Amino acid sequence: MFKALGRFVVGHRWLVILTWLIAGAAVIGFAPSLTTTSDQAEFLPGHYESIQAQKIQENAFPKGFSPSAIVVVTREDGKPLSAADSAKVTKLGKSLEAKKYDKVEQVVTTPPSPHKKVQTVMVSMADVKAGDKSQQHAVEDMRDDLKPLVKGTGFKTGVTGDAATQLDNEEASKEADGLIFLGTIGLIIVLLTIIFRSPTITILTIAGITLVSQVANGLIATCAEVFHLKADSSVSSLLIVVLFGVGTDYILFLMFRYRERLRLGEDPKTAMISAVGRVGEAIASAAGAVAVCFLALLLSTLSFLVSMGPALAIAIVVTLIACLTLIPAIVSLMGTKVFWPSKSWRHEPRAARFGAIGNAVGRRPGLFVIGSGLLMIAVAIGAFGYKPTFASDESATSTKESQVALHAMSQDLPAGSTNPSSVLMRSTKGEKLKPADMTAFVSKLKQVKGVGDASRTQLSKDGRTAEFNAVLKMDPNGREAMDIVRGPLRTTAHEAAPAGTETKVGGITSVFVDINKAVNRDFSVVFPTAAVLIMLILGLLLRSVVAPIYLMVSVALGFGATLGATVILFQQIEGKSGLTFFLPVIMYLFVVAIGTDYNILMVARLREEAKEGLSPREATAKSIQHAGPTIAAAGVILAGTFASMLLASDTSLSQIGFAVAFGIMISSFVMAMFFTPALTALFGKAAWWPRRIRPDAPVNDQDDPGRRAPHHPADPEQVPAQGGSPYTPHSSYDRRD
């Protein structure tokens, strides 16, 4: 099938290129823009308590006061605010209210904090739809107006709150995207130039993937609009590294095999047909494993993961199609000029190091299985110390205005005052709530361990719904606060509810509690589903039952080692309180799915060598010798592109970047290079059970031109250099292939 595809693409290369250009222009031109959301509550389905509380709140208090922005005022000299200072802050609040910012509904100046170190101005804004930047624009205007208003007053101000945080996060995300993009492009340029010694291939790769990325983004945005998917702001950063990292890998797989066929004497068109025919199945299987693994996220209960799965799957599928159609069409058009100005493509490298590695693994496979296996197990032990966290770990050191202001605010107010937990009480019998019952309920909330204060904040017009605030003594984003809300606060709120009422606990901490519950549920559903899907793809590729099982064992070890290394670096060495809560899901999908690419490439080569009649250990040695350089180069490029995420100031992106980069290095240099081929050598022919691998029968030259004796094409660029033919085989593999 793939050889037929190669013939069609090479035979109709101009048609393929024009189709891509026209289709790409149409998709890019007519696609909507991709919207983002930072509302954590939007990530959860309605059956979770935090979302039920939010719905009750929205229905009972449609015009309720909920600050989207908080202006934090302190003295520059750090002294307490005087009565005169407090009066100036009140005047400042009235000045902001007079500005009539778009979407701002109410501005309220609060009393000074207990020690008079801080005073705040609460700004309530109208709700906006996803993609509407009105709230962020209001914060921008507010920040600009505050500078002249506080000049000469001795005050220091900062704007925090949800709208301000979203604005700062989006600006940081744009900066991170730029750094990641430049880092990724720079790395690809350097590595491809070193590998092929040709700027032509580098330019072709970057230009091709840039087109693919624009088409993929257009299709993702279209699907998000049609299917009403919510997109998280981190998707754009992930798309950059996925498209450029995976796309470069697939092009590398193709170009290595194309160069190999040229060295065997095929003309450029025939070489490309052979390359697509021989490596196409492995690339398609690898891309299929990645895509279905991403699609397994559709089983998640978190909408940002549900949206991320199809988005990344679309990117992978578009990349696959481009690597099997657009790139072969362009390369077959350029011929050997694609390697310009280098002439090294003519000569088979000795690959001495990989040959030595292959011979060593082939001779003593048991030793390498034990050694590589113990290495992964030793690092994986660190995974037992994994702690999920929802806190940013950056409020005290971040330069973002929203975080600096939040930190200043928390210096003289209870930690939980920045985001108090909301408790909603609603009558279930249609009767009005009794004041005595509500007073008693507040008293019960105050007695909860970890609650610093509690009060009733609102009563609906019909008197049937009341809102209470429970201010926690600790950081509302931390694990300790989550334990309080998950346990005693929810228990007390439910048990202390007066007869004929129901209570629901909401607020950001309650949302995080439910997200954590959803993530734990996803671990038990998404992980096994993705593993089964990958095993099915491996089984279809290899027509084997045994090989997919031990391949997944190696992947599990690689995952454990990756999580362990990430815990050791960020929690033990850097002293972080934990790893971002969704890291294991992301890491599993990227490390398992993308890391499986290298296992697939190596095992496909092992099967190819076995079909050539080599013994299991000989096949292992030859596979490492010839597939090793490709896997090593691809692993370095892909790991490097993910490592570029370490340039971002966002802690979550840095953790993802390190974890996936480390996992890919483990996958390429430990699993695919040692563990998998060594296990295959130990299993021998049983690895392919129930299929029996027999040496390929001789075929007609017309069926497989690659089996013809080497020849010297008319293309002057392919004329052998003086001193011998570049197609002279260096190994028995070359003669067979």
Side-chain angles (χ1 to χ4, degrees):
M1 180 180 77
F2 289 97
K3 181 162 285 188
L5 174 63
R7 289 195 185 99
F8 175 84
V9 169
V10 172
H12 302 83
R13 50 194 181 278
W14 278 114
L15 175 63
V16 171
I17 294 171
L18 288 174
T19 300
W20 261 98
L21 293 176
I22 294 171
V27 170
I28 296 169
F30 293 101
S33 59
L34 187 63
T35 60
T36 60
T37 178
S38 65
D39 185 355
Q40 301 287 358
E42 291 190 22
F43 297 154
L44 286 166
H47 66 269
Y48 285 98
E49 181 170 346
S50 59
I51 306 305
Q52 293 174 353
Q54 181 182 4
K55 297 301 182 184
I56 294 173
Q57 185 181 46
E58 291 173 352
N59 293 332
F61 311 105
K63 295 293 183 180
F65 186 86
S66 179
S68 301
I70 304 172
V71 181
V72 181
V73 184
T74 58
R75 286 180 59 105
E76 289 182 340
D77 56 13
K79 294 181 179 179
L81 295 165
S82 64
D85 290 333
S86 183
K88 290 179 182 179
V89 175
T90 301
K91 184 178 178 181
L92 177 66
K94 290 180 178 179
S95 298
L96 292 177
E97 187 175 19
K99 296 289 185 180
K100 303 295 182 183
Y101 298 110
D102 185 29
K103 301 299 180 182
V104 171
E105 296 181 330
Q106 198 173 356
V107 179
V108 177
T109 302
T110 65
S113 60
H115 298 93
K116 300 187 183 301
K117 294 280 189 178
V118 180
Q119 191 165 358
T120 60
V121 179
M122 303 290 186
V123 182
S124 177
M125 300 183 184
D127 293 334
V128 295
K129 296 180 179 179
D132 189 331
K133 306 294 183 182
S134 300
Q135 290 188 349
Q136 291 94 302
H137 293 329
V139 171
E140 287 179 317
D141 295 339
M142 206 176 300
R143 286 174 173 175
D144 291 338
D145 292 337
L146 279 168
K147 293 176 183 177
L149 287 174
V150 300
K151 187 176 182 180
T153 62
F155 290 155
K156 183 167 58 176
T157 63
V159 183
T160 187
D162 290 342
T165 300
Q166 185 172 353
L167 172 64
D168 290 344
N169 286 344
E170 287 184 357
E171 291 178 349
S173 179
K174 290 178 182 177
E175 181 182 347
D177 287 352
L179 288 173
I180 291 170
F181 179 78
L182 291 176
T184 299
I185 295 298
L187 183 72
I188 290 175
I189 290 174
V190 171
L191 292 179
L192 284 182
T193 302
I194 292 174
I195 292 169
F196 290 103
R197 303 174 190 175
S198 167
T200 310
I201 292 180
T202 303
I203 294 171
L204 170 64
T205 300
I206 293 174
I209 297 176
T210 299
L211 172 61
V212 169
S213 68
Q214 295 301 310
V215 173
N217 273 308
L219 290 175
I220 291 167
T222 301
C223 290
E225 183 177 81
V226 172
F227 298 106
H228 306 290
L229 298 176
K230 296 179 179 68
D232 180 61
S233 57
S234 63
V235 172
S236 58
S237 299
L238 290 175
L239 280 175
I240 292 173
V241 294
V242 167
L243 287 166
F244 280 90
V246 176
T248 302
D249 267 11
Y250 293 166
I251 292 174
L252 203 64
F253 294 166
L254 181 71
M255 293 305 297
F256 265 80
R257 189 57 74 100
Y258 174 63
R259 187 175 64 179
E260 182 179 305
R261 304 308 297 179
L262 287 173
R263 287 170 176 163
L264 291 173
E266 295 181 1
D267 64 85
K269 294 179 183 178
T270 305
M272 182 51 68
I273 294 172
S274 299
V276 173
R278 286 174 173 264
V279 82
E281 185 179 22
I283 293 177
S285 299
V290 177
V292 299
C293 214
F294 288 154
L295 288 175
L297 287 175
L298 289 170
L299 300 175
S300 172
T301 53
L302 297 173
S303 66
F304 84 99
L305 290 179
V306 173
S307 301
M308 183 185 294
L312 296 177
I314 289 171
I316 290 295
V317 171
V318 174
T319 303
L320 169 65
I321 296 172
C323 290
L324 294 182
T325 56
L326 177 62
I327 301 302
I330 295 174
V331 173
S332 66
L333 190 66
M334 298 177 68
T336 57
K337 294 182 177 63
V338 75
F339 298 105
W340 183 88
S342 174
K343 304 294 184 181
S344 62
W345 64 269
R346 298 178 175 183
H347 307 283
E348 174 74 23
R350 295 184 60 83
R353 290 187 181 87
F354 290 97
I357 292 173
N359 290 331
V361 176
R363 284 196 304 268
R364 306 187 70 179
L367 178 64
F368 282 92
V369 168
I370 295 173
S372 57
L374 288 177
L375 173 64
M376 290 188 284
I377 291 172
V379 181
I381 292 174
F384 290 104
Y386 165 69
K387 296 177 181 178
T389 182
F390 292 81
S392 64
D393 269 337
E394 65 174 5
S395 59
T397 58
S398 174
T399 58
K400 299 176 187 175
E401 181 173 331
S402 59
Q403 293 298 324
V404 172
L406 183 63
H407 179 63
M409 182 178 172
S410 65
Q411 296 304 298
D412 197 29
L413 289 169
S417 63
T418 56
N419 269 308
S421 294
S422 301
V423 183
L424 280 299
M425 179 186 293
R426 180 174 61 180
S427 173
T428 57
K429 296 183 178 180
E431 299 176 353
K432 291 185 177 182
L433 300 175
K434 299 176 182 179
D437 288 341
M438 290 186 285
T439 301
F441 185 74
V442 170
S443 299
K444 291 289 182 67
L445 291 180
K446 288 181 177 180
Q447 295 173 17
V448 175
K449 179 183 178 181
V451 173
D453 191 20
S455 62
R456 194 190 79 192
T457 56
Q458 298 184 83
L459 183 65
S460 63
K461 291 181 179 180
D462 61 9
R464 297 170 183 171
T465 304
E467 180 184 33
F468 304 85
N469 273 356
V471 180
L472 303 179
K473 296 179 181 179
M474 64 288 296
D475 179 4
N477 298 331
R479 285 194 302 274
E480 189 179 358
M482 291 172 60
D483 290 339
I484 295 297
V485 171
R486 181 189 297 111
L489 182 57
R490 282 187 174 177
T491 300
T492 299
H494 298 161
E495 293 179 352
T501 68
E502 65 172 354
T503 56
K504 301 292 181 183
V505 179
I508 192 64
T509 309
S510 185
V511 169
F512 285 155
V513 167
D514 290 338
I515 288 179
N516 189 53
K517 183 179 180 181
V519 169
N520 290 335
R521 176 262 178 197
D522 289 349
F523 287 169
S524 64
V525 175
V526 177
F527 281 24
T529 301
V532 170
L533 291 174
I534 290 177
M535 287 186 66
L536 288 175
I537 289 176
L538 290 172
L540 292 173
L541 170 67
L542 304 174
R543 286 80 166 176
S544 166
V545 173
V546 176
I549 295 175
Y550 68 74
L551 288 176
M552 290 309 299
V553 170
S554 72
V555 168
L557 287 175
F559 171 79
T562 302
L563 182 57
T566 309
V567 169
I568 292 170
L569 175 63
F570 288 97
Q571 290 184 200
Q572 298 180 11
I573 297 179
E574 291 195 1
K576 299 292 184 183
S577 60
L579 303 180
T580 186
F581 67 96
F582 59 86
L583 178 63
V585 175
I586 301 299
M587 190 183 73
Y588 177 84
L589 294 172
F590 279 90
V591 173
V592 171
I594 296 179
T596 302
D597 285 6
Y598 306 123
N599 263 344
I600 288 176
L601 192 68
M602 178 59 75
V603 174
R605 194 73 184 228
L606 284 164
R607 185 190 62 179
E608 187 176 322
E609 295 293 347
K611 290 173 66 178
E612 296 288 353
L614 293 182
S615 69
R617 297 195 177 199
E618 290 174 333
T620 296
K622 289 300 179 184
S623 295
I624 295 175
Q625 178 183 350
H626 292 285
T630 307
I631 293 173
V636 169
I637 288 177
L638 188 57
T641 56
F642 275 96
S644 67
M645 295 176 74
L646 290 167
L647 298 173
S649 59
D650 186 278
T651 303
S652 297
L653 289 179
S654 297
Q655 291 177 359
I656 291 172
F658 170 80
V660 178
F662 183 88
I664 288 169
M665 293 298 284
I666 285 285
S667 299
S668 56
F669 287 95
V670 179
M671 287 163 47
M673 203 75 70
F674 297 108
F675 193 76
T676 296
L679 266 179
T680 305
L682 287 178
F683 275 99
K685 295 180 180 179
W688 315 111
W689 185 87
R691 188 181 184 189
R692 298 182 64 185
I693 299 294
R694 296 187 179 89
D696 284 338
V699 294
N700 187 285
D701 286 351
Q702 297 300 319
D703 294 331
D704 190 349
R707 295 182 182 276
R708 295 195 300 255
H711 65 282
H712 307 310
D715 185 342
E717 288 194 47
Q718 290 185 275
V719 175
Q722 188 174 0
S725 167
Y727 309 115
T728 303
H730 291 273
S731 67
S732 59
Y733 168 82
D734 291 320
R735 288 192 293 272
R736 289 191 319 276
D737 201 5

